[in-house]
Structure formats: structure tokens, C-alpha cells
Amino acid sequence: MNRAPFLFLGIFLALALSFVGLVLTNQISYGAFVTHVDEGEGKAFPLQAPGLAAQGKLVYQDLGCVSCHTQQVRREGFGSDIGEKSRGWGERQSVARDYLRESRVLLGSQRIGPDLRNFAARKNADGTEHTAAALYAYLYHPQAVVKTSNMPAYAYLFKTQPIIGQGSAKALKIPAAAGYEVVPTARAEALVAYLLSLKDTYAYPETKNVYTAPAAAKTQPAKESHK
């Protein structure tokens, strides 16, 4: 009996089912997502990134930042991204709708550096917000800002130029040759604009339905007996 047709049919069905499971199911599940219109705020979330930030994403890709940084905050109980005594990388976990406006999602796979998905929403240790000036200084010489940082310097994103008049308002506050100043190039400005646009704090309906472990019940102090 020639079993070749049955073997061919079996292989075909296996490949077809794999395609449906891996490709079509995801497309059907996530393809239905649309922006969430908040009538109260009059905005559609996720917000469209500003033009300069979109250019900065290309710089981020070009520099290979995705090799060391992820952009996916895990939910409480999966790692220590959020929750009490965590890294404080976000107020909630990332969901598929967060990436809706992105033609290329830069999830990353290694966390040599911190997750950046919610970078702009995080605060410095002293409670202040991240600023462009501070990011310029860090990109130019990370170890001068944080001695223990393992991030490479990106000094080539800056240029040294003669000081004309009062100098550039964007000049870094670092030592430079007399009569000269260090200023960010257009690539540095775009990259910083992109980093400052990374902010996923809006609460979509699906973020409220994700299970998170309940906080441990606090032990109530025993009532004193009345004498």
C-alpha cells in the first residue's frame, strides 16, 4: 500500500495547524486592538510619540540599546519590576495595547541595564523628574554621574564648539577647553526626546483585569482586655 499520500497529508496538516496556532491566533487576538479613546481627557491612548521622539527611536535602534535594555514591565509576582520593595520600574505591567502605535517593538531580552519602558514616569532618588540636561551628562560620561554604572559612554553624540556670545543653553556643565563648550548633536537630542517619551501609566480596561496577588493581610494587634 502506498502510504506517501497519507504521510504528505499528515505533514501538511501539522504545518498548517502550527501556522494557525503561532501566527493567525496571535493576529486575531492582538489585531483587534484599537486605541482607547478617553472622552474625559479627549485623547486616544496610547498617545502618538512626538516627531523628535520618533527620530530618537531610530537612534536607539542604531546604537543597539535594545541589547542591554528591555521595554516590558512584568506584572507583580513575575520578577521584581513592580510592587512593594521592587525595582520600581512601573506602576503596572505592560500590556499589548501599549505598543499599538509602534511599527517595531523593541522588547529586548537582556537586562544588563534597567528596563526603560516606563523610564520617563520614574523619579530620581531625590524625587525629582528626569531632565534632558541630566540625560545629556549621563550619556556623555555615565561613570561621572553614577560611579558604578556599567553603561558605555556615548561622547560621540556630542560635539565641542567655540563659545559664541553667552554660549549655548544646551551646553553640558562639564570642564572643557578654554573658550569651548560641549553640546549635544541632533542625534543626542532625538535620543533624549525618545527616552523622555517612554511613559506607560494610563490604565486601560485590560490592565485592571490582570490578576495580581493580594497584599498580605496585616496582623491586627490583639485587643487589650479591660480590667
Side-chain angles (χ1 to χ4, degrees):
M1 180 179 180
N2 185 6
R3 298 181 177 177
F6 296 101
L7 180 61
F8 174 79
L9 181 61
I11 295 174
F12 175 79
L13 289 176
L15 293 175
L17 290 174
S18 298
F19 177 79
V20 170
L22 295 176
V23 179
L24 291 186
T25 301
N26 287 328
Q27 177 61 30
I28 293 172
S29 300
Y30 299 117
F33 275 120
V34 295
T35 55
H36 180 78
V37 178
D38 189 320
E39 296 183 354
E41 295 195 31
K43 299 178 181 177
F45 292 92
L47 299 174
Q48 184 70 50
L52 187 59
Q55 295 177 31
K57 183 177 181 179
L58 298 178
V59 179
Y60 184 92
Q61 292 178 220
D62 183 45
L63 296 177
C65 303
V66 70
S67 300
C68 297
H69 296 279
T70 57
Q71 289 194 30
Q72 182 180 29
V73 179
R74 295 172 296 182
R75 69 184 182 189
E76 191 171 0
F78 285 74
S80 54
D81 294 0
I82 58 177
E84 189 177 0
K85 297 181 180 179
S86 69
R87 297 161 169 159
W89 284 352
E91 298 176 352
R92 63 165 174 80
Q93 73 168 89
S94 298
V95 294
R97 201 189 301 259
D98 289 326
Y99 310 92
L100 189 63
R101 292 189 185 273
E102 300 184 30
S103 58
R104 184 175 183 181
V105 177
L106 304 174
L107 287 182
S109 59
Q110 299 202 44
R111 289 179 159 178
I112 298 174
D115 186 278
L116 298 178
R117 186 64 201 175
N118 209 33
F119 173 77
R122 298 202 292 263
K123 306 285 187 183
N124 293 307
D126 59 0
T128 58
E129 296 184 348
H130 295 296
T131 64
L135 286 174
Y136 290 146
Y138 189 69
L139 288 170
Y140 185 80
H141 190 350
Q143 288 72 35
V145 179
V146 180
K147 292 183 179 180
T148 56
S149 174
N150 58 358
M151 195 177 88
Y154 292 92
Y156 55 85
L157 293 178
F158 300 82
K159 62 181 180 181
T160 302
Q161 66 182 21
I163 298 176
I164 300 176
Q166 296 182 345
S168 171
K170 299 176 184 176
L172 276 64
K173 299 184 183 304
I174 60 173
Y180 288 83
E181 61 185 1
V182 178
V183 296
T185 62
R187 295 183 76 206
E189 292 187 48
L191 177 61
V192 166
Y194 173 62
L195 293 174
L196 292 177
S197 75
L198 298 175
K199 186 177 183 179
D200 287 337
T201 56
Y202 188 80
Y204 298 108
E206 59 266 33
T207 63
K208 301 174 183 176
N209 297 327
V210 175
Y211 172 80
T212 54
K218 296 182 179 178
T219 303
Q220 297 295 327
K223 294 183 179 178
E224 295 181 358
S225 58
H226 295 282
K227 295 180 179 179

